[in-house]
Structure formats: structure tokens, C-alpha cells
Amino acid sequence: MNGDRGRGVGAGIAGSLIASLLALGGPAQGAETSATEVKQDSISSHLERGQAYLDKGEYAKAVLEFEQVLRYDNLPPDLREQAEIYSRAAQNYKEGKRLSGFGYAETGGGFYRENVTRTTNALGGNPTRDWFWNARIGGGLGYIVTDDISIDAGLDYQFRYYDDTNRRDDSDLRWNAAVIQSLDAGSQSIGVRGRASYRGGDGYRQDYGLFVNRAFVLDPDNEIVIEGEVRSREYPRGDERNRSRDVAQAWLGWTRALMDGRAAVTVTVNGGREWATNDREGGDQTIYGAQIDWSMDFNERLGAFLFGFWEHNGTHEDIPYENAFGDPGLLRPDLDIYELGGGLTYAFAPGWSLRPEVLYIRDEGDAEFSDYSATEIWVNVRKSF
């Protein structure tokens, strides 16, 4: 299959996926919906129930309810602050104000340690050790259009400066916008999102895509979310350009509130397909993986969070290659990516918090120089407003 035909098939599959997900919601909950049912589905009902859970300290339940109206990206991991951000929107709406928002700024420092792998050994056995300073700023806006339709949008910018002047600094901007319809026991939405990541002298890698999702609230403690996305990833000019690709991907996630709403766990599985657009060495690839997120608020000040992530990228076909010594052979360039991280959140003043975090990364591939591992630790101070 040539590249153009492969991308055409990919677009068709992705279009069918999006249409199927939207169909799950039905035509605005079905033509037979009565006036009483519409009232039960209204945004006011979801916001009132979310506020009631928050007032009882059941933060995870409050978030599940609020997210049937707005579903902000880039929220902090502590459940109490998530619920309070949504609560401001609920209070505004109760007062007749349809527009609401939140913002944050944080900064701090940390240490990056590249771990020893067969790649570092092949490159001379001198893994990187480097201090860094980082900063982050962003926020979101929500606007309630009718009693069952809302719009939200967000921006998030992150920057990291490394002490090593020979190393490229990191710069990353993410954006999103979506239209959400609140339903009787869930919601459905369609939106766009993207990302611009600095890649050095040749410019920025650009990601942009269209997504849809359907949320099913099973009961106050449980929610299922199905999401699909089609997106493009375009690398700038230079050696990286052949890594550009189109992607179709789907996720299935389950969130459960625990410990009377003071903790929550989310388990997500995903799968998809990548279509190379510039003769990438590995060609088209299949992707699939899983992620688990856990967070808990111990009290009004202290919280903790953990996450684990795994993703497999594979061609599932052998390709010819030559290694650094010119020896020919066959290679299946599969890659497994692992991430494990966590941290604490400590609120030391109204709107202010201290956030120590740690992250372990492991990339394990068959291709030459595809082994990578690093450990990062940092402490940030965050201001929420």
C-alpha cells in the first residue's frame, strides 16, 4: 500500500470512528425526550449536584459531576482544587454569569539524570547529568451557551532551561477548545487541540487534531469515557522531517471515586495507527498502550498522586537495515515506552502550593541507539488564580 492510499484508508477509518462515537449520544438524547427529562439533563442540575458533593468534601464525586458541563484540560492533580475550579463556574452560573475561568503560574528547579543503557555505552559511556529551571503558565475559559450546551478552551505553556549551554532548552505550548452537550447521565463533546514543541534551530514540531468523546456516568462513583481523535504531527525542516505522520487513535477510560470521594483512580487503554507522510524509516505503525492515574487528598492541605504509562509502537514487519559497522540484516523496529511518576501537593497559603515531583522514563526498542532511560526530580511553587 503506498503512502497516499494508506492515508486515505486511515482517514476513512478515523471518520467512521468519529461518526460512531457521536452516534452513541443519539440525536440530543433522542427525539422522544420529554420536557421533564430535558430538565433533569440541564446544566443547572449537574452543577448543583457537583456543588453538593464539594460541600460534603467528596471531591472526586464533585469533579465527575462538574465534568458533565465543562471538561478543562491542564487541571492540577489534587482533587480539591479541581472541584473548586469547577465550583467557581457553578457559582457564576447561579448568579447569571455564563463566563468563567481559571489560571495558574508555577516555577521551580530540578535535576535531570540520564540512566546507563546500551545506547549510552555505545556512545562512549557518558550519560547526561544536568540541573534545570522550569516555568509554566496557563488557564482555561468556559462559557455556558444554553441549559445543555457549553464551550471551553485552554492554553498551557511550559519552558525548561538547562544549565548545560550546549543543550537545547525545552519549550511547549498546548491549546484546546471543545463544544460539550450535557446529557442525563454523561456528556458528549467535539473539539480541536494542538501542540507546538521547540525542536532547536529548525523550528517547532506542530500537532493538531480533531477529537470527540462520550462520557457515561454509571453512578456517582463511576464514569466510562470513550474518545477518538485524528491528528497530524509535522516536524520542521531538517533530519527530523521524515518522522512526520498522521494518526488515528481511540481511548477507553474508567474513573472510580474512592474513599468517600477523597481519592480517585482512572484506568485507560488505547489503540491506533500511524501513517508516515515523509518516508519514515519504520513506515506505518500500530500503537497501543495503557495508563493508570491515582490521586488522593489526605486533608485540606496535603495530597498525593501517582501515574504509570506504557505504549507500544511497532511496524510488525521486518525491514532491511545496516548497523554502524555496515553489517546487513533484518530488523523489526518496535519500541516500548514506559513512564512512572508521582508527587505531592502541599497548600501552604490560599492559592499557593508546593509541588515536589519525580518522573522515570524508559524507552526500549529494537533499533540501533533506541534504548533510553532517565530520572527527573523537581520542586515547583504554584500560584492558582
Side-chain angles (χ1 to χ4, degrees):
M1 179 181 292
N2 61 38
D4 291 338
R5 184 183 174 193
R7 288 192 292 277
V9 173
I13 294 173
S16 300
L17 172 64
I18 288 179
S20 299
L21 288 175
L22 287 174
L24 286 171
Q29 280 293 93
E32 301 83 4
T33 304
S34 68
T36 302
E37 288 172 325
V38 169
K39 182 174 179 59
Q40 291 175 342
D41 295 347
S42 71
I43 281 174
S44 294
S45 297
H46 289 298
L47 295 179
E48 289 170 4
R49 285 195 291 269
Q51 187 63 48
Y53 287 130
L54 174 58
D55 293 341
K56 294 188 292 184
E58 299 177 349
Y59 307 129
K61 293 181 180 180
V63 170
L64 289 180
E65 197 66 49
F66 285 136
E67 286 188 337
Q68 309 320 308
V69 177
L70 297 169
R71 194 173 288 267
Y72 288 131
D73 273 358
N74 308 316
L75 289 176
D78 34 329
L79 295 168
R80 179 183 60 80
E81 187 171 346
Q82 290 184 28
E84 289 177 347
I85 288 171
Y86 286 126
S87 176
R88 292 202 292 269
Q91 293 298 324
N92 285 346
Y93 187 64
K94 188 175 182 180
E95 296 170 3
K97 304 173 185 176
R98 293 181 177 271
L99 181 66
S100 58
F102 74 101
Y104 54 87
E106 59 182 81
T107 187
F111 184 71
Y112 170 89
R113 180 185 189 276
E114 185 180 15
N115 301 319
V116 175
T117 63
R118 58 185 174 91
T119 296
T120 60
N121 290 335
L123 293 175
N126 187 27
T128 303
R129 306 284 191 270
D130 202 6
W131 293 95
F132 62 83
W133 165 78
N134 68 85
R136 182 178 184 182
I137 188 169
L141 290 174
Y143 185 80
I144 298 174
V145 182
T146 68
D147 64 358
D148 68 342
I149 298 292
S150 60
I151 300 171
D152 64 22
L155 281 175
D156 178 68
Y157 176 71
Q158 301 180 48
F159 177 79
R160 180 179 287 190
Y161 169 81
Y162 289 97
D163 186 57
D164 184 355
T165 57
N166 294 321
R167 182 172 183 174
R168 167 176 59 83
D169 296 328
D170 294 333
S171 178
D172 190 86
L173 174 67
R174 307 186 189 204
W175 55 270
N176 66 87
V179 178
I180 304 169
Q181 181 185 21
S182 297
L183 304 173
D184 180 25
S187 64
Q188 59 185 4
S189 65
I190 182 169
V192 291
R193 57 192 174 203
R195 178 179 179 182
S197 301
Y198 182 58
R199 304 298 296 181
D202 284 328
Y204 287 79
R205 186 191 74 197
Q206 300 285 347
D207 293 73
Y208 47 89
L210 171 72
F211 71 91
V212 296
N213 65 49
R214 176 70 164 92
F216 302 85
V217 176
L218 308 181
D219 56 48
D221 292 314
N222 294 277
E223 178 189 61
I224 299 292
V225 176
I226 303 173
E227 183 164 301
E229 181 185 45
V230 289
R231 66 182 183 272
S232 289
R233 168 166 289 188
E234 297 181 355
Y235 282 83
R237 298 182 305 274
D239 295 338
E240 290 187 319
R241 183 169 176 77
N242 63 357
R243 297 172 63 185
S244 299
R245 53 195 180 267
D246 294 331
V247 184
Q249 195 166 5
W251 295 263
L252 173 63
W254 168 49
T255 298
R256 178 171 176 80
L258 307 169
M259 302 182 67
D260 295 324
R262 289 188 171 269
V265 62
T266 299
V267 179
T268 307
V269 294
N270 74 85
R273 183 72 172 168
E274 296 181 344
W275 292 272
T277 59
N278 282 275
D279 298 322
R280 184 172 61 176
E281 181 180 353
D284 300 341
Q285 293 191 349
T286 299
I287 53 176
Y288 51 84
Q291 180 168 336
I292 183 168
D293 297 89
W294 172 88
S295 58
M296 178 176 178
D297 286 10
F298 298 107
N299 52 47
E300 295 294 319
R301 291 182 176 270
L302 182 64
F305 63 95
L306 295 169
F307 72 88
F309 170 82
W310 163 70
E311 183 178 274
H312 177 80
N313 289 250
T315 63
H316 304 288
E317 295 177 2
D318 293 332
I319 62 172
Y321 85 106
E322 287 189 359
N323 64 19
F325 304 101
D327 297 328
L330 291 175
L331 178 68
R332 180 171 295 174
D334 294 349
L335 176 68
D336 287 288
I337 303 170
Y338 304 90
E339 293 185 10
L340 180 63
L344 299 173
T345 61
Y346 178 72
F348 59 87
W352 291 89
S353 57
L354 189 68
R355 297 170 181 267
E357 297 186 41
V358 62
L359 173 65
Y360 172 77
I361 303 170
R362 176 77 170 102
D363 295 354
E364 189 173 18
D366 300 329
E368 196 172 28
F369 305 124
S370 62
D371 261 16
Y372 169 77
S373 178
T375 304
E376 303 178 12
I377 185 168
W378 66 93
V379 179
N380 278 0
V381 176
R382 179 184 174 104
K383 170 62 178 174
S384 301
F385 48 89

